[in-house]
Amino acid sequence: MRLRHAILALSLGLASMALAAADTATLTAPEKLRSEPSAFASVVTVVHRLATVRIVDERRDWYQVEADGGRSGWLPRQSLQRDGDPAAATAPPATGPTAGGPDPRLIPRSAARASNHALILGLDPARARPDGDTATALARLMGVPDANIQQPAPDRLDADGLRRALAALDARLGADDRAFIELSGQSAVCALPAGELSAYLRTLARKADKLVVLTEGGEHCAPSVPASANVLALAGPDGTAAALLACLDGRAPLPAAGGLANGDDWRHCAQAQLERQRTRPGRIAVAGNPALAPAPGLASGAPVTPRRLLQTLHAQRSERREVTVGGLRGSYRVTDTLQFSVRGPAGGQLYLIAARDDGLILLHPSPAAPAERFGGSQRFALSARDIGTGPLRLLALVTDSPRNFQRAGFGGAGRFASAPADTRSLRDLPLEILGGDTSPTCLRAETRNLGEVQARQCNTAFGAALAELTITP
């Protein structure tokens, strides 16, 4: 047991060293390290010019960093120069394809978290390494740290070896963790009876917040997947993983009208790549929840509207967290009062977000309200005049851990905070809602090793309900 703990500690230490070396920055001017990404937030400490900091996260014009002495906080982007990329600190966000390279908007921006896992299974020795490399790249883009990417050697994966690998994934998986499984080659896909493999997937789906399964080759043996909103499965011919990787790393256009590329978007993009490369490409099938977005990030295509984005976020909810909105009717006059109630899991945080064509409004909590736990049921009476006229989509969100809507671009000193319908706000909102707490503890700690309070703080799962209404003059 002591040896196991020592190895684990060494692995975490090496992972942290690698991360620090790959994602550090140098201050170009002395700056105040602030508790939130705002010039008005409290000051944690002062960081001197030429100091080196490690970047943990970014929101709009700010980087969350770790400085010497274990201090954590936010620094303005303009005062940092990312090591190895002199232009990165001051370059504006990309608005189109860059000359000579892929469009960086297409790369999913999932921060690597210890609660994300991947199991890569390929039983054909002649093809295991190239497929494994492709699947590893996919896992990294989905926010899986290298230490959590398991790829057993092909010679150890007979039927019993495959069972052991799936059981080991189940043992590593904490409640509401996320998992990606890739099976490539007919020998891997067909190694177990389809019913047995399906049973393993059902067991994993009952525990995971999101489960993504990719099978490549052996289409006639592809397992059935649980009818769960938490599961997405893609099954296709040889080359499907490589086609998906081209879609995710920017080499191929990945249109997504909902703002986040979901399973259907992944399938359409990968299918187009196969059809360009082959005269008989085969078909990629999607099962489970095709609206699930395996990795948050920008996608190409027509600009997304705030109302469509809320619909996309609603589709990412956990089916184990039921939220309902009651008492709303479809149409109101501007002089009316909206009276309704929200029910959901007690002990979390409740947020009400409204979307109009011109922007987003945080109806609850108000900017001045202190953070408080949701009791499981709450009634509201809101003036329609304060919200504005036109079609409105309302998203009730119950999360285990707090979300910081200021980091997502919401601001205002009135009763409600709001955000414009610009590219940056529509990008940062899903990153904040889907990403949750991005503190070093939540990024690096195994969920199953955390205490109950810390596990709740680091949980990214949420429940949600959607309501449609119209406010007329």
Side-chain angles (χ1 to χ4, degrees), residues 33-76:
L33 185 71
R34 298 190 180 272
S35 60
E36 299 290 344
S38 167
F40 303 102
S42 60
V43 177
V44 176
T45 188
V46 175
V47 186
H48 299 288
R49 180 178 177 270
L50 300 183
T52 297
V53 296
R54 191 177 72 84
I55 296 174
V56 176
D57 194 9
E58 65 174 288
R59 289 291 187 272
R60 302 177 74 82
D61 297 322
W62 296 78
Y63 283 121
Q64 185 182 22
V65 304
E66 287 182 342
D68 289 341
R71 299 294 184 91
S72 177
W74 295 83
L75 292 171

Side-chain angles (χ1 to χ4, degrees), residues 142-166:
M142 294 167 66
V144 182
D146 285 354
N148 286 5
I149 301 176
Q150 304 299 316
Q151 185 180 3
D155 58 3
R156 298 182 180 180
L157 285 181
D158 53 12
D160 286 338
L162 191 60
R163 293 184 182 101
R164 286 193 295 269
L166 290 165

Side-chain angles (χ1 to χ4, degrees), residues 385-396:
R385 190 182 303 278
D386 291 339
I387 301 174
T389 60
L392 189 76
R393 181 165 283 160
L394 177 69
L395 179 69

Side-chain angles (χ1 to χ4, degrees), residues 332-338 383-389 471-473:
Y332 291 86
R333 299 291 298 271
V334 74
T335 54
D336 291 339
T337 298
L338 280 64
S383 170
R385 190 182 303 278
D386 291 339
I387 301 174
T389 60
I471 300 176
T472 59

Side-chain angles (χ1 to χ4, degrees), residues 45 62 98 133 142 153 166 257 261 264 272 286 289 328 337 358 423 456-457:
T45 188
W62 296 78
T98 56
D133 291 346
M142 294 167 66
L166 290 165
D264 260 338
V286 62
N289 178 15
L328 280 176
T337 298
D358 59 348
T423 300
R456 175 181 284 271
Q457 180 70 23

Side-chain angles (χ1 to χ4, degrees), residues 356-379:
R356 299 190 314 230
D357 291 336
D358 59 348
L360 297 143
I361 308 170
L362 182 62
L363 300 176
H364 177 81
S366 69
E372 58 183 23
R373 289 290 182 184
F374 177 51
S377 178
Q378 190 164 344
R379 295 193 62 82

Side-chain angles (χ1 to χ4, degrees), residues 96-133:
T98 56
D103 184 347
R105 295 179 304 162
L106 306 181
I107 300 177
R109 296 177 56 213
S110 294
R113 299 180 79 99
S115 57
N116 295 341
H117 305 266
L119 179 60
I120 299 170
L121 302 169
L123 293 188
D124 295 339
R127 48 173 290 155
R129 181 172 179 81
D131 283 356
D133 291 346

